[in-house]
Amino acid sequence: MTLTFNSDIYSQLLSQHQPWIIKTEEENEKFLETVEELLSRSHLTPEEDALL
């Protein structure tokens, strides 16, 4: 089974988790929560992997 990259799904993920320059400890903690949640999954979609 080959997984294909879906640009629409990736765009939705980017709209939910927009990249930005981290300037505060609070922003850093929020970013780390997102990263840790993705890393805890056993299987990421190609779009989630690109976001990570």
Side-chain angles (χ1 to χ4, degrees):
M1 180 173 135
T2 302
L3 297 177
T4 59
F5 189 87
N6 184 314
S7 295
D8 291 333
I9 293 173
Y10 184 60
S11 293
Q12 289 173 357
L13 286 171
L14 282 176
S15 72
Q16 295 169 6
H17 307 283
Q18 294 182 6
W20 73 91
I21 296 172
I22 297 171
K23 296 179 181 175
T24 67
E25 190 63 33
E26 183 179 326
E27 291 174 340
N28 188 55
E29 290 300 321
K30 183 173 178 156
F31 171 78
L32 288 175
E33 286 176 14
T34 300
V35 170
E36 289 172 354
E37 193 275 325
L38 288 170
L39 289 175
S40 71
R41 296 182 186 182
S42 57
H43 295 87
L44 294 176
T45 65
E47 300 81 14
E48 292 169 333
D49 189 52
L51 179 68
L52 185 59

